[in-house]
Amino acid sequence: MTLPLFFFYVFSIIAVASAAMVIFSRNPVHSVLFLILTFVNAAGIFMLAGAEFLALILVVVYVGAVAVLFLFVVMMLDVDFAEMRQGILQYAPIAAVVGIIFLLELLLLAGTFFISPDVMGQAVVPIDATIDNTRALGQVIYTRYVFLFQAAGAVLLVAMIGAIVLTLRHRTSAKRQDIAKQVARGKDSIKVVSVKSGQGL
């Protein structure tokens, strides 16, 4: 067994185990920490595959921003787990149906690769080996998949606006600055006074 293959197995086993713990952990803070561990090990697998750009993006964006944001949100929320668990069995049939569909899709995907192993080779986009990983990825995204890339950006923008609209709350007691009211001038804003010479107001 070569050293890269050994590290691949180590990263894969830890990633699968930590991904399972994200689901089965009872404490949401622990789930987020296991999610961070999953991202880090997935970044290690990307690094072994020669996709250093994707590995760094995974660490910087998902570990450094998204997962830490999840951790802060979970720690700030005052979640009543006893109340949350009440009536949880009524969602079990829907969860079972979704899980069965997901399992069937995974089996179909694995069966396709087993029956026709050349499917994975056809799905790989040929990339020039003379250029670096980041440049090759940029050329593929901004040429072949530019419309899908723009569509993904639009979906994320709509999701961000929707989240802000749904969570925004205006407090009536909060004092806010009304620039238009401050700048506006009416007839009573200026008073002309006739002052006699040698007298004050």
Side-chain angles (χ1 to χ4, degrees), residues 1-19:
M1 178 182 293
T2 60
L3 192 60
L5 186 60
F6 172 75
F7 281 115
F8 172 77
Y9 283 124
V10 171
F11 288 144
S12 301
I13 292 172
I14 296 176
V16 172
S18 57

Side-chain angles (χ1 to χ4, degrees), residues 129-166:
T130 58
I131 59 177
D132 57 327
N133 185 258
T134 306
R135 186 184 301 274
L137 188 62
Q139 289 181 354
V140 173
I141 289 178
Y142 290 102
T143 55
R144 187 187 296 268
Y145 301 108
V146 61
F147 294 110
L148 295 176
F149 183 69
Q150 295 293 335
V155 171
L156 292 176
L157 178 62
V158 171
M160 183 180 65
I161 294 174
I164 294 174
V165 171
L166 291 175

